[in-house]
Amino acid sequence: MRKSYPSDITKKQFEMVRKDLEQATKSTHPRKYDLYDIFCAVLYLIKEGCSWRAIPHDFPKWENVRYHYDIWSKEDDNGISLLDRVLRKLVEAEREKQGRETNTTMLITDSKTTQNADTAESTGYDAAKKNQG
């Protein structure tokens, strides 16, 4: 039994997305690690922003987690990955449970992003040069 982390989801939440994650790869032999633990390790990485080798030792091996992450994060023809769809499904279920609309209605950006948005494609800025262009 591994330690619980703040980034973990419940087993009930995981059951909502288990089929999606299992269908991403062929199962030619029994899994060595529980898919729940691998998914929680991916969530830990996303939340903490740590390196692959810095995954706590009670998660599956980092190579195994990386293998699944690479498969799950591969984008389809629409530019959406399986990981994006699964995370969206979890967010929508949580919002619905709270009695809120499933789609978000607000977006927050920082001021530097909005100031640079109009000119980002036409001109650039290089701090090492004296001129812009």
Side-chain angles (χ1 to χ4, degrees), residues 2-18:
R2 72 172 178 80
K3 178 181 169 185
S4 177
Y5 293 95
S7 58
D8 287 355
I9 60 173
T10 64
K11 292 272 189 181
K12 186 177 179 182
Q13 288 173 315
F14 181 71
E15 289 306 318
M16 291 175 17
V17 297
R18 177 185 290 276

Side-chain angles (χ1 to χ4, degrees), residues 90-102:
L90 291 170
V91 168
E92 286 175 356
E94 186 62 29
R95 289 177 67 88
E96 191 174 295
K97 186 175 123 183
Q98 294 172 356
R100 299 166 61 188
E101 287 186 38
T102 56

Side-chain angles (χ1 to χ4, degrees), residues 98-117:
Q98 294 172 356
R100 299 166 61 188
E101 287 186 38
T102 56
N103 293 325
T104 56
T105 55
M106 185 186 304
L107 174 70
I108 299 174
T109 59
D110 64 338
S111 60
K112 291 291 180 191
T113 304
T114 55
Q115 286 176 2
N116 194 25

Side-chain angles (χ1 to χ4, degrees), residues 3 5 7 40-66:
K3 178 181 169 185
Y5 293 95
S7 58
C40 286
V42 168
L43 292 178
Y44 181 88
L45 278 162
I46 292 170
K47 184 173 181 347
E48 298 300 324
C50 64
S51 66
W52 288 105
R53 293 174 192 246
I55 296 174
H57 293 289
D58 48 355
F59 281 124
K61 288 184 187 178
W62 72 268
E63 295 95 343
N64 199 297
V65 176
R66 175 68 190 261

